[in-house]
Amino acid sequence: MGNSSSICADRNVITNFDENGTPVYPTANNSQSPSSYSRGKERELGCYTKRNSNSNNNNSHERESQSCCSSRVCKNHTTTTTTTLEYELSNFAKLTTRITTQSAAEVDTSPHTDTETHRDRDSNPGNIALATDLELPKGLPLSLSSRHHWNQLQSSLHALHHQQQQQQQQLRSYSSTSETNLEDKMSKPDSKLDKYAQRDRLGLWGTGDNEVVGSLSGFTRLLDKRYSKGLAFTHEERQQLGIHGMLPYVVREPSEQVEHCRALLARLDQDLDKYMYLISLSERNERLFYNVLSSDIAYMMPLVYTPTVGLACQRYSLIHQNAKGMFISIKDKGHIYDVLKNWPETDVRAIVVTDGERILGLGDLGANGMGIPVGKLSLYTALAGIKPSQCLPITLDVGTNTESILEDPLYIGLRERRATGDLYDEFIDEFMHACVRRFGQNCLIQFEDFANANAFRLLSKYRDSFCTFNDDIQGTASVAVAGLLASLKIKKTQLKDNTLLFLGAGEAALGIANLCLMAMKVEGLTEEEAKARIWMVDSRGVITRDRPKGGLTEHKLHFAQLHEPIDTLAEAVRKVRPNVLIGAAAQGGAFNQEILELMADINETPIIFALSNPTSKAECTAEEAYTYTKGRCIFASGSPFAPVTYNNKKFYPGQGNNSYIFPGVALGVLCAGMLNIPEQVFLVAAERLAELVSKDDLAKGSLYPPLSSIVSCSMAIAERIVEYAYKNGLATVRPEPVNKLAFIKAQMYDLDYPRSVPATYKM
């Protein structure tokens, strides 16, 4: 605001009327400049300093006094450069002025006495000239131009002006505060308005629908990864965009570009080199990168995610070249929202965040864990069509406790011991609220590779009030349960008819156990009956109540059995006699020949799941599982294994990769505009994935659809989740789509290059 303004007597006199006699009030649209307005008012009111020959000196003096205050800005008062006040006056006057249909006779009988006039004057502490002191304009309806209505209007306008003067005085007082104190107040994250204000991004657009074509220059389209086509720009586009000559003559089709990239990949021997090439491609030509991934999902997915991403994370500081995602350190505590504002995209719908403490089965990698969020979000787009511009990978750098990383001269992260306790919790809480404040309540926040203790605690804390899930707990559980449900088609049994033995009691194992418990209850068991069928082995043996070796956390106690202590996995297999053996402990080779043969002796068709990643951490290989069970087992793994031939029969082991689940879940959640994600969503996703496994897949020994069909799987899972969301009142997108699958497809990322110049048409 500028300096305060003051209203002079004539300024509030309404002298402009339309053809119907309705007053025209000054607004931001029809207001004139101060000088021109002043001259106009003088002409209309006849308030020039020219003296009337018939007037006496006193009248002339009064006319001159009136003249000095007739302009919009009085010389006796400070000026303002805004039209805010007059706009408010205009609106207020329109509300307070009553244009009635009273007859002239009714108006004449209204009690407008001198007493009222004096009372109105007495209520005017500023001694501003009232409208009653002036001659009322001619031609007005009598009911509008009555002295009583003019008095009411003048008093209301004066009260509004007095109120604005007080507000401006407060503003000047606020402005006098020191800059240091002001900045401190503005940057505090616990401001109630900023911290708890509900923000969302419910608008849904197809690819390119929210882009302004004319705002992009030719060089932006050439160099920006989001718009670049490389050699696919046509000659016409190059000329119109002003980039002709910046590219070689040849124009390539997108399919030719993909073949070229595949040829370059084939020349590289090491998977890490292929990973680096693909990441570099994603920074040059975004659509080409996703077209390359989509050209052969089964071959490409292990290169951008597990197992190659594990090696990439171990060497992330060495291979780091381009900025990917955001690094927010514990040093940013108190200013996380300000950091998030630096991200160039405001329409962010999906965040994958890690603190790097438990990267796959590799341990605490600190800031080197950024490869996981980057890889995950690449699959969000490649497998579920979530737009890359709406995805944000984040690493929360709170330090690392790994000595070799702290001593690495190339390490890109914070060289401090990992933050813990209240400091850590306050940092995470500020991050969650900052994300909602910046990107909206329905922004999906996926936790990834947090340590066990933090993972369960944070999920429990935020799952009901934020749109969040933990893929290590819930995604792994969903894909494992889907495999179990598919395997039971072969055995022709239900889940409740089987006994499950888990090696491991961490995030993945407990997540699977909880979802199995939910599925068994759906099949008719009570909670206690279902728990009796779920056994777990950790580093201290079978989890039993009052175990002498201890080590029982709250989450482990949930599945503790009333049984004598059992110390080893082999002993547990003998005594528990499980039908299903699930490995999620990242102990490579834990399912040795003895254990696999025991499972084959107990069961005609044992179910063996070796789910740990990367491949070196798998509990057994596919070949070992089929060989030691004499080809009778149903096998699935977390990492990919080549087909195995045993007794002239070829088996195609299914890969129970979370990628079957989390992209489809994310797509469904975003399309429905869900604000939180109940556990039931992951059982719904598991059941839908199991339905997609064909008889041919099962005959080959695979418990999952082929990876080549994973995009279709994601859409099918998303459709089921959208249906679930609307049925249970969790969807916020309105109206409810009639054809939900078509609606989902309309939101997905288009892999085809769009036109780089607007379409033209005849006029």
Side-chain angles (χ1 to χ4, degrees), residues 251-451:
V251 175
R252 283 187 175 155
E253 293 294 326
S255 58
E256 295 176 320
Q257 289 182 300
V258 171
E259 291 176 6
H260 184 198
C261 293
R262 294 290 300 271
L264 290 174
L265 275 176
R267 294 173 60 86
L268 302 174
D269 297 326
Q270 301 297 321
D271 286 346
L272 184 59
D273 293 332
K274 296 179 180 180
Y275 171 87
M276 292 176 64
Y277 168 76
L278 289 171
I279 293 299
S280 176
L281 176 63
S282 72
E283 290 301 305
R284 299 194 310 272
N285 188 329
E286 195 172 76
R287 273 189 169 80
L288 180 56
F289 168 72
Y290 289 110
N291 273 295
V292 171
L293 293 190
S294 301
S295 67
D296 190 348
I297 287 290
Y299 174 75
M300 296 294 174
M301 198 167 72
L303 295 178
V304 295
Y305 201 57
T306 57
T308 308
V309 73
L311 180 59
C313 286
Q314 288 177 304
R315 303 181 184 178
Y316 201 81
S317 292
L318 175 65
I319 66 175
H320 181 262
Q321 295 177 338
N322 298 311
K324 299 283 288 186
M326 298 197 78
F327 292 86
I328 303 176
S329 79
I330 193 70
K331 303 295 185 181
D332 298 314
K333 185 175 180 292
H335 305 277
I336 295 178
Y337 176 71
D338 297 324
V339 176
L340 288 175
K341 286 173 65 178
N342 293 332
W343 187 248
E345 300 288 346
T346 58
D347 185 25
V348 172
R349 304 297 178 97
I351 293 173
V352 175
V353 59
T354 184
D355 70 350
E357 190 170 5
R358 193 201 64 82
I359 298 298
L360 301 175
L362 304 172
D364 183 357
L365 300 185
N368 288 338
M370 177 57 95
I372 295 296
V374 170
K376 283 278 186 181
L377 289 172
S378 294
L379 297 183
Y380 266 48
T381 302
L383 307 183
I386 298 172
K387 302 175 189 66
S389 62
Q390 295 179 342
C391 297
L392 173 55
I394 295 179
T395 290
L396 300 178
D397 189 356
V398 296
T400 179
N401 293 334
T402 304
E403 290 291 344
S404 60
I405 293 178
L406 290 173
E407 295 172 359
D408 182 1
L410 297 178
Y411 181 51
I412 62 175
L414 183 64
R415 294 179 187 274
E416 290 184 4
R417 292 287 178 180
R418 185 169 286 275
T420 58
D422 291 341
L423 177 64
Y424 178 87
D425 290 345
E426 291 169 3
F427 179 67
I428 297 296
D429 194 63
E430 182 188 347
F431 167 76
M432 296 297 289
H433 285 92
C435 287
V436 169
R437 179 184 171 192
R438 181 60 176 164
F439 303 120
Q441 188 69 41
N442 61 327
C443 176
L444 172 63
I445 305 173
Q446 177 186 326
F447 289 105
E448 190 69 28
D449 286 350
F450 283 71

